Amino acid sequence: MADRALVRPEAAEEGLFSREYRTATSSSAAVMFLTGFAALAVVPILPMAARDLDGVSLFPLVAGCFVAASLLGGVLGGHWADRSGARRPLAAGMALTVVTLVVSATSTSIWQLAGGRFLDGLAAGMVAVSINTAIGQAYPERLRPRVLALMSACWIIPSLAGPPVAGLVSEWWSWRAVFFGLAALTLLPALVLVVALRSPSWQGAAAPSDDRPPRPPLLLASMVSLGAALGQYGVSGWDVHHLWCAAAGLGLLACAPRLLPAGTWRAARGLPTTVLLRGLASGTYFTIEAFVPLMLISERHLAAVVIGLAFTGSAVLWAAASWVQGRLLEDRPRHRLVAVGALVMTAAVALAVAGTLPGVPALTAASAMLVAAVGMGLLAPSLSVLSLSHSPPGRQGYASSAMQTNQNLGQITVLALSSAVLNACLGIGASELAGYGAAFGLLFVPTLLIVLFAGRARSTGAGVAAVARRSEPSSTGSGSK
């Protein structure tokens, strides 16, 4: 493909401290900081918003809309950036982010909040892919590790401060103030970044028409995203209308295997199993992250600030476990670390179930979030390393895309199944806590399947340990997991 670097070749040798690099790097860092802050700050207040809008039964739809839309946003943003440079999709994504935060802040119904979260997921998918593409197009290879490290570091403070600050603001003022505040804070760096990218040296020339990448399956990705959203709505009730929506969503999700490597659903050895395990692990973690706070707020009446602290602790423990697997356990076989991480997540599921029992302290369920984060910190980076080792030459991007796609599908599917179990229990007259206990109990299935199939993801390549040493710790949150 023709060279479409966003920065002049001679400017690439000036390093990160030229004026153009300083402006773009600082603006991108500010965008990533606020993206992380928004992603981690919004999640703890969503249960409170759903309760105030009389939409607790539709909470799975609100939580799942972001993930469903980010799948489409990633495909759209990546294709747009490949064909015409990262400037336009990044600017469009940032503008949409500000608008969607205002839409969510002014919600008068659970449906408006769900719509805002869907558009926010679309924007988040575009922004994440566009920033990574911009780094690849704008910076020389020797500078990319430093820039990527800076982008990762931008999530540290949000993971520590975002959830408790959002909890305090929602307790003392309103959950709407969190959305409005994030919109105001995001507006200025978004404008600065758009202006910086309008500089002539950052204009990405479009590739010749005969050298452009083939069109991605945007229609297919749209169908899968719509199916995911319909499925989340369908499992929120048990009348005929909801069942029809669930059936339609399931039919559209049947197209999802075409976005994944052949053999994913039958756990074929190598990359297909690695992709499958990423979906199972992400689905389990996302469901714990969504349902534990909802239960603690709606049934145990725990303060939102405590939920925020649980999210903060999860972020810290995820990062710590990632550091351990990348430094202290770097010589261990990756598939074994995947199995160990899944066993830790099985313990987290047990804590979540125990937290629904009468007489058991509410903080028992909250601790499930912390333990699950440790498991994901061991498991997720190891799966990323395995996916790279299984990638055909020159197809690392395809492997990364498949991992991201099934991560989103796993989150949507496992959350939908758990929601269906919860609503089925409520439909037969069980108590709310009993329903949550059954929903959490379902999560034993994916964690034990990961333990069972981890060996099928084993890598025989010699470069796995070297790749592991270069792997970066993962960060938590609805848009980054």
Side-chain angles (χ1 to χ4, degrees), residues 293-353:
L294 181 64
M295 181 195 70
L296 292 177
I297 288 178
S298 62
E299 298 302 318
R300 292 300 189 96
H301 309 293
L302 214 60
V305 66
V306 177
I307 305 299
L309 290 173
F311 275 97
T312 296
S314 298
V316 173
L317 289 175
W318 182 318
S322 297
W323 182 88
V324 168
Q325 67 80 35
R327 293 290 188 268
L328 303 182
L329 303 176
E330 61 180 346
D331 296 326
R332 299 292 190 275
R334 295 285 109 186
H335 68 281
R336 293 182 181 174
L337 292 182
V338 170
V340 171
L343 288 174
V344 174
M345 293 187 69
T346 303
V349 173
L351 287 172
V353 173

Side-chain angles (χ1 to χ4, degrees), residues 41-87:
V42 165
V43 174
I45 67 170
L46 285 179
M48 183 177 295
R51 183 190 62 191
D52 290 350
L53 295 172
D54 296 324
V56 172
S57 64
L58 289 173
F59 179 78
L61 175 66
V62 175
C65 271
F66 182 94
V67 181
S70 65
L71 187 154
L72 176 59
V75 174
L76 176 61
H79 174 63
W80 194 354
D82 281 343
R83 291 177 65 86
S84 59
R87 179 178 64 88

Side-chain angles (χ1 to χ4, degrees), residues 277 334-342 378-379 382-383 386 450 454:
L277 299 189
R334 295 285 109 186
H335 68 281
R336 293 182 181 174
L337 292 182
V338 170
V340 171
L378 294 172
L379 184 153
S382 298
L383 285 175
L386 288 170
I450 296 172

Side-chain angles (χ1 to χ4, degrees), residues 147-308:
V147 183
L148 290 171
L150 176 61
M151 297 300 111
S152 298
C154 291
W155 282 74
I156 295 176
I157 295 178
S159 69
L160 296 174
V165 168
L168 287 173
V169 172
S170 60
E171 284 285 334
W172 293 345
W173 197 352
S174 168
W175 58 266
R176 299 180 188 274
V178 177
F179 283 107
F180 277 126
L182 290 170
L185 290 173
T186 305
L187 182 60
L188 181 58
L191 291 174
V192 172
L193 181 60
V194 170
V195 171
L197 294 179
R198 290 180 63 86
S199 169
S201 58
W202 283 83
Q203 300 291 333
S209 58
D210 59 349
D211 196 29
R212 292 184 179 183
R215 292 186 178 276
L218 289 178
L219 178 59
L220 181 60
S222 300
M223 293 170 61
V224 173
S225 293
L226 177 60
L230 285 173
Q232 296 296 334
Y233 172 69
V235 299
S236 63
W238 287 96
D239 54 35
V240 175
H241 176 67
H242 285 84
L243 291 177
W244 273 112
C245 288
L250 183 62
L252 291 174
L253 285 174
C255 302
R258 295 173 58 186
L259 297 173
L260 303 174
T264 296
W265 301 121
R266 55 183 174 84
R269 290 187 180 276
L271 182 61
T273 293
T274 307
V275 171
L276 173 65
L277 299 189
R278 182 57 181 263
L280 293 174
S282 298
T284 301
Y285 184 81
F286 182 73
T287 302
I288 290 176
E289 188 181 59
F291 272 176
V292 167
L294 181 64
M295 181 195 70
L296 292 177
I297 288 178
S298 62
E299 298 302 318
R300 292 300 189 96
H301 309 293
L302 214 60
V305 66
V306 177
I307 305 299

